């Protein structure tokens, strides 16, 4: 199953390197796009859950790496919840 690595820039300009076990992430995120925090998290949840489901369909078990990545994004997003104008930028998506 082809994986995708993606890089995001948080509202404080910090960078996170992220992982998806499936190219489905391309259906939800675009390199160079800026997303309001809530929108980014909605897209990330959908992408990583669907990616994990694709792994389950192919191999018979969910992808713990996708769920770990989602948990990391959720934890990081919490630090910006009090910033109503928080924007997350998808810097890159790559194989």
């Amino acid at each position: 199953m082809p994986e995708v690595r993606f890089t995001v820039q948080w509202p404080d300009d910090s960078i996170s390197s992220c992982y998806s076990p499936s190219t489905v992430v391309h259906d939800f995120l675009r390199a160079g796009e800026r997303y309001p925090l809530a929108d980014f998290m909605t897209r990330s949840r959908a992408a990583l859950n669907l990616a994990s489901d694709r792994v389950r369909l192919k191999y018979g078990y969910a992808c713990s790496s996708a769920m770990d990545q989602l948990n990391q994004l959720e934890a990081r997003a919490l630090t910006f919840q009090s910033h109503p104008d928080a924007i997350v930028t998808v810097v890159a998506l790559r194989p």
Side-chain angles (χ1 to χ4, degrees):
M1 186 162 265
E3 62 185 33
V4 174
R5 306 258 175 205
F6 57 105
T7 306
V8 299
Q9 183 177 13
W10 296 97
D12 65 356
D13 293 330
S14 63
I15 300 289
S16 291
S17 295
C18 305
Y19 169 82
S20 170
S22 169
T23 58
V24 72
V25 72
H26 288 285
D27 294 342
F28 295 89
L29 301 172
R30 299 271 185 259
E33 287 292 321
R34 295 167 40 92
Y35 300 97
L37 179 63
D39 185 31
F40 172 75
M41 289 309 302
T42 297
R43 290 168 178 272
S44 295
R45 284 182 202 105
L48 291 168
N49 279 308
L50 186 54
S52 182
D53 289 346
R54 285 185 173 189
V55 170
R56 182 187 326 270
L57 286 172
K58 186 167 184 168
Y59 298 106
Y61 54 85
C63 180
S64 60
S65 294
M67 295 300 88
D68 288 345
Q69 181 62 73
L70 181 55
N71 288 336
Q72 290 171 19
L73 291 173
E74 296 279 7
R76 189 71 176 113
L78 281 175
T79 65
F80 302 107
Q81 272 192 322
S82 63
H83 305 276
D85 297 331
I87 297 291
V88 178
T89 303
V90 176
V91 177
L93 289 120
R94 59 195 174 286

